[in-house]
Amino acid sequence: MTSNEQTTRETATGERADLLETLAKHRHFLRFTTRGLTDEQAGLRTTASELCLGGLIKHVTSVERGWADFILEGPSAMGDFTAMTEADWAKRTDEFRMLPGETLDGVLAAYAEVARRTDDLVATLPDLDAAWPLPKAPWFEADAQWSARRVLMHIMTETAQHAGHADIIRESLDGAKSMG
């Protein structure tokens, strides 16, 4: 945990403290899967999926950044997923892998920066009930709205889910486990 995460968590109370603590716990487990790895190892696919550890962290970083933008700006921050082209979708797949020139340290630093921003948002947002319509996407119910609270729970769920994926990838890489 960084000193900023600690300070933000110490000053928050009630529900906000709970949200920050849960985010910190799941972020820790995700980052922990990369302990002691080289850049090359962070980019290896070790299962039947296309996923690698560095790519998972890049994806979670992108997801968290996008949803934090949504809390502040609404659906325009995320765009219209129904209008995306094949090229747009292909570009999004790059966030699931380590690209040439990317480093694990760089990926982790970007994730830490996004986490700090989200933590500051949790601590200072005037109203967790403030809601926006969801962006257009085939996976969202039409005309649905999510509150900031719901978005933060989604970020936590996404992070926890991918921490589990990362644990499997790491165990397949060298037998290291996050727990147990």
Side-chain angles (χ1 to χ4, degrees):
M1 175 182 339
T2 67
S3 61
N4 185 60
E5 285 175 320
Q6 182 68 34
T7 302
T8 302
R9 285 180 50 206
E10 288 173 354
T11 59
T13 60
E15 177 184 20
R16 291 171 193 267
D18 291 343
L19 291 168
L20 290 167
E21 184 178 333
T22 303
L23 278 166
K25 177 179 78 171
H26 293 301
R27 288 176 185 142
H28 164 77
F29 282 122
L30 178 59
R31 288 188 308 256
F32 189 66
T33 62
T34 66
R35 68 198 179 283
L37 294 181
T38 66
D39 295 337
E40 181 183 5
Q41 289 170 313
L44 291 176
R45 291 178 43 213
T46 62
T47 66
S49 80
E50 295 290 324
L51 302 174
C52 67
L53 293 171
L56 273 174
I57 292 172
K58 284 176 56 179
H59 171 67
V60 172
T61 301
S62 175
V63 166
E64 186 168 327
R65 180 185 303 113
W67 281 111
D69 289 346
F70 173 85
I71 289 172
L72 295 170
E73 303 166 27
S76 63
M78 298 180 91
D80 179 348
F81 291 97
T82 63
M84 288 180 68
T85 66
E86 286 276 328
D88 295 329
W89 286 111
K91 185 176 180 185
R92 284 184 63 99
T93 62
D94 284 347
E95 72 183 32
F96 287 98
R97 58 191 180 102
M98 296 279 288
L99 300 175
E102 291 181 329
T103 65
L104 180 57
D105 285 344
V107 168
L108 289 169
Y111 186 41
E113 185 174 321
V114 166
R116 277 190 298 277
R117 178 178 175 239
T118 302
D119 288 352
D120 289 344
L121 184 61
V122 171
T124 62
L125 193 67
D127 183 6
L128 293 175
D129 290 319
W132 294 98
L134 290 173
K136 290 183 181 180
W139 50 84
F140 290 135
E141 181 182 335
D143 302 320
Q145 292 190 16
W146 279 9
S147 67
R149 178 182 295 102
R150 173 88 183 263
V151 169
L152 293 167
M153 290 188 305
H154 179 72
I155 292 169
M156 284 184 267
T157 302
E158 184 91 5
T159 305
Q161 178 181 6
H162 288 309
H165 294 148
D167 198 37
I168 292 167
I169 292 168
R170 178 62 191 259
E171 189 171 356
S172 297
L173 178 67
D174 63 5
K177 299 177 185 178
S178 295
M179 298 174 66

